[in-house]
């Protein structure tokens, strides 16, 4: 009987520049222009690589308002940024967010395929459907697609992209100078896709990388989002509030995958967290409270409203009951909005209480290095997560996590001491997918052998 491979914790670094809250940009050790400073990204990607992180993660959104958090107001485009990181690092995975709602599959296949070649097999695509309705008007559309339509489109979109990534079989290019044969034409394949949303011929003018295809991440918490994740994701960027909801998400996603005939272990669940660290638990808690106090109630209302397509909650009495928003379509961040409404109803929260709970930064992992390491171990061992995406803004917090928390996780045998592979698939324990045309080519002879 083959030995069972021990489950290993995965770590990603969300490079969030000037911050996705409204306070950390004021950190004196953080450059004010971090979100557009390629030097800042390179430095932190190299630090994450030195700590043996699996990947760096770049978030994105195609719509902003004057009240949007600092990092989103002024930031680099993910694929351009990750291409620079690809030639500045050698082992760490490179994951970027790109929407299926306002792009075309051929463009996306070419962009991520190129990143995968440049990085020698370290690319990952975080598939999103874009929650904010205002994005439509940035892409020559007057109305945002309905939530259900966005997810149907996303499913077909990913199918087309993955089909294009298989345009060439792995041995399609003999490049034999003596015979003058550069391409084996029988191993170049047009896709000829015809579907509900897309008509794409192909082939893509790009061969596969050492990992076969880029890794597919997915971020979505609504029912449709979880269904898509169970169908397509190699890993998910989960948004959860506490251990119990994380465990519920984990069980639900894995059971959906199993029902589709997938191995549940083939999906890596990686919630995003923002640890606050200090020498003692008391110091860390005080630091967290201080950061929260610097967030005004006005900013918390803005952040609360973002889940409801930037609905203006400042128009309602702060200490009155949470307003009736049943007239809103929730055609935005549907899973997040529904989770807020459930929490408001269960707790009978006022608007102020809802803003404090859902509009403030949620830190969660707060304490000494030993305490935070223990929390991470608890979530990992109790099937709330397979790993974590660590938000990187505060230089102090990231330094303490790398130099104090990671060594504890390594000592406990939970996290690698050295890289064992060179690709993102290898880091995540994912196999290299065989080219679909190669599989098809082998099928007749396999059937003959079986007979």
């Amino acid at each position: 009987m083959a030995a069972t491979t021990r489950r290993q914790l995965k770590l990603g670094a969300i490079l969030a520049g000037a911050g996705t809250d409204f306070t950390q940009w004021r950190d004196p050790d953080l450059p004010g222009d971090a979100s557009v400073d390629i030097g800042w990204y390179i430095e932190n990607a190299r630090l994450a690589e030195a700590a043996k992180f699996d990947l760096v993660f770049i978030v994105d959104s195609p719509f902003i308002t004057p009240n949007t958090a600092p990092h989103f107001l002024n930031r680099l485009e993910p694929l351009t940024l990750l291409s620079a990181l690809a030639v500045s690092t050698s082992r760490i995975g490179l994951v970027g967010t790109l929407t299926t709602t306002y792009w075309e599959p051929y463009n996306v296949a070419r962009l991520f395929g190129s990143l995968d070649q440049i990085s020698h097999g370290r690319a990952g695509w975080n598939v999103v459907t874009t929650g904010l309705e205002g994005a439509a008007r940035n892409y020559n559309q007057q109305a945002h697609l309905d939530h259900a339509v966005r997810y149907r489109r996303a499913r077909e979109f990913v199918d087309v992209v993955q089909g294009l990534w298989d345009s060439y079989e792995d041995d399609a290019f003999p490049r034999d100078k003596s015979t003058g044969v550069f391409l084996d034409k029988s191993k170049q394949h047009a896709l000829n896709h015809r579907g509900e949303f897309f008509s794409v011929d192909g082939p893509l003018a790009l061969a596969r990388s050492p990992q076969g295809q880029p890794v597919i991440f997915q971020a979505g918490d609504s029912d449709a989002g979880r269904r898509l994740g169970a169908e397509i994701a190699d890993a998910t960027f989960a948004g959860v509030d506490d251990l119990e909801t994380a465990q519920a998400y984990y069980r639900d996603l894995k059971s959906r995958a199993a029902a589709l005939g997938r191995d549940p272990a083939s999906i890596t669940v990686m919630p995003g967290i923002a640890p606050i660290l200090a020498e003692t638990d008391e110091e860390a808690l005080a630091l967290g409270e201080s950061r929260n106090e610097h967030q005004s109630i006005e900013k918390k209302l803005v952040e609360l409203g973002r889940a409801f397509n930037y609905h203006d909650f400042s128009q309602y009495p702060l200490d009155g009951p949470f307003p009736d928003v049943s007239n809103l379509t929730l055609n935005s961040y549907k899973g997040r909005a529904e989770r807020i409404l459930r929490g408001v109803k269960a707790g009978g929260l006022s608007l102020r209480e809802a803003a404090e709970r859902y509009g403030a930064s949620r830190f969660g992992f707060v304490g000494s290095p030993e305490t935070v390491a223990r929390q991470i171990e608890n979530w990992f061992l109790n099937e709330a997560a397979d790993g974590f995406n660590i938000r990187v803004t505060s230089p102090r917090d990231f330094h303490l996590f790398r130099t104090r928390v990671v060594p504890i996780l390594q000592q406990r045998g939970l996290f690698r001491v050295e890289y064992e592979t060179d690709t993102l698939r290898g880091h995540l324990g994912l196999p290299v997918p065989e080219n679909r045309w190669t599989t098809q080519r082998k099928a007749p002879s396999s059937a003959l052998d079986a007979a």
Side-chain angles (χ1 to χ4, degrees):
M1 185 183 221
T4 302
T5 302
R6 184 177 180 181
R7 183 166 164 253
Q8 187 180 68
L9 182 75
K10 310 302 177 186
L11 291 176
I14 306 171
L15 302 185
T20 53
D21 62 13
F22 295 93
T23 62
Q24 290 199 60
W25 68 272
R26 300 173 68 178
D27 186 328
D29 295 324
L30 178 70
D33 64 348
S35 297
V36 290
D37 179 0
I38 190 59
W40 182 87
Y41 287 101
I42 290 171
E43 177 186 5
N44 282 283
R46 287 173 170 170
L47 289 171
E49 186 170 69
K52 313 306 176 188
F53 274 52
D54 295 84
L55 56 100
V56 295
F57 198 103
I58 306 299
V59 297
D60 198 34
S61 173
F63 177 71
I64 60 172
T65 77
N67 291 318
T68 298
H71 174 63
F72 290 109
L73 286 172
N74 182 28
R75 67 200 186 280
L76 298 176
E77 186 279 319
L79 271 294
T80 308
L81 165 58
L82 288 170
S83 293
L85 297 187
V87 296
S88 304
T89 59
S90 60
R91 307 291 286 277
I92 196 165
L94 307 163
V95 180
T97 299
L98 201 149
T99 177
T100 60
T101 303
Y102 296 110
W103 282 75
E104 289 292 325
Y106 193 91
N107 301 101
V108 172
R110 194 177 189 197
L111 285 167
F112 277 100
S114 295
L115 177 64
D116 213 30
Q117 286 285 359
I118 293 167
S119 65
H120 306 293
R122 294 185 283 137
W125 170 26
N126 181 38
V127 176
V128 298
T129 64
T130 296
L132 297 171
E133 293 184 351
R137 294 183 291 279
N138 287 335
Y139 288 89
N140 199 37
Q141 304 294 320
Q142 292 308 305
H144 197 39
L145 292 178
D146 179 74
H147 187 268
V149 175
R150 295 203 307 273
Y151 275 94
R152 289 208 316 275
R153 177 186 166 98
R155 182 68 177 87
E156 185 180 340
F157 196 117
V158 173
D159 284 345
V160 174
V161 169
Q162 291 182 316
L164 289 169
W165 283 336
D166 272 354
S167 292
Y168 287 112
E169 295 182 56
D170 292 334
D171 56 351
F173 291 98
R175 300 185 182 93
D176 189 330
K177 294 188 178 183
S178 63
T179 63
V181 177
F182 186 81
L183 167 69
D184 179 344
K185 295 180 181 179
S186 70
K187 295 184 179 180
Q188 180 200 70
H189 301 278
L191 183 61
N192 294 320
H193 173 87
R194 300 294 180 270
E196 179 184 3
F197 299 98
F198 303 107
S199 177
V200 181
D201 284 356
L204 184 70
L206 191 66
R208 299 185 350 147
S209 83
Q211 70 172 350
Q213 292 197 357
V215 172
I216 297 293
F217 274 72
Q218 188 268 342
D221 192 27
S222 65
D223 181 70
R226 294 183 184 203
R227 182 169 64 249
L228 180 66
E231 291 172 344
I232 68 164
D234 299 309
T236 64
F237 179 36
V240 293
D241 296 322
D242 53 46
L243 176 64
E244 290 72 26
T245 57
Q247 287 174 317
Y249 171 87
Y250 189 98
R251 287 192 300 268
D252 183 53
L253 185 72
K254 302 273 185 168
S255 64
R256 288 174 187 248
L260 292 168
R262 296 187 63 189
D263 177 3
S266 69
I267 304 180
T268 302
V269 176
M270 298 180 69
I273 61 173
I276 297 180
L277 290 143
E279 290 301 322
T280 68
D281 291 351
E282 292 74 20
E283 289 176 290
L285 289 167
L287 182 57
E289 286 298 318
S290 174
R291 289 183 184 176
N292 194 41
E293 287 170 3
H294 280 93
Q295 287 185 281
S296 68
I297 188 63
E298 290 77 17
K299 295 296 186 185
K300 292 172 184 176
L301 288 171
V302 169
E303 186 59 26
L304 176 68
R306 188 170 187 265
F308 298 87
N309 201 42
Y310 277 114
H311 183 66
D312 180 12
F313 281 102
S314 69
Q315 62 187 295
Y316 308 107
L318 260 178
D319 293 306
F322 191 84
D324 179 6
V325 291
S326 58
N327 60 313
L328 301 181
T329 64
L330 299 189
N331 192 28
S332 54
Y333 294 110
K334 185 175 172 64
R336 173 72 177 157
E338 289 175 338
R339 194 160 70 245
I340 291 171
L341 292 177
R342 287 195 297 270
V344 165
K345 182 178 180 180
L349 304 182
S350 68
L351 177 57
R352 184 189 297 275
E353 290 169 330
E356 292 291 348
R357 179 178 298 185
Y358 299 108
S361 295
R362 301 177 303 280
F363 298 113
F365 289 68
V366 180
S368 67
E370 178 67 34
T371 294
V372 170
R374 187 167 58 249
Q375 290 174 318
I376 287 173
E377 181 178 22
N378 184 41
W379 280 49
F380 179 66
L381 296 180
N382 287 286
E383 298 189 334
D386 297 311
F388 296 88
N389 282 305
I390 312 301
R391 189 173 72 190
V392 178
T393 294
S394 163
R396 176 187 172 282
D397 288 339
F398 191 38
H399 173 76
L400 287 172
F401 190 89
R402 295 187 335 267
T403 62
R404 301 288 296 280
V405 177
V406 168
I408 294 172
L409 298 173
Q410 291 170 329
Q411 290 162 12
R412 295 179 182 178
L414 298 172
F415 187 63
R416 69 169 64 83
V417 176
E418 293 293 341
Y419 287 114
E420 297 177 356
T421 65
D422 295 323
T423 68
L424 179 54
R425 283 188 178 276
H427 299 341
L428 298 180
L430 298 168
V432 175
E434 185 174 56
N435 182 286
R436 66 191 62 195
W437 300 100
T438 303
T439 301
Q440 183 175 309
R441 185 189 297 274
K442 291 177 179 176
S445 60
S446 298
L448 214 57
D449 292 343

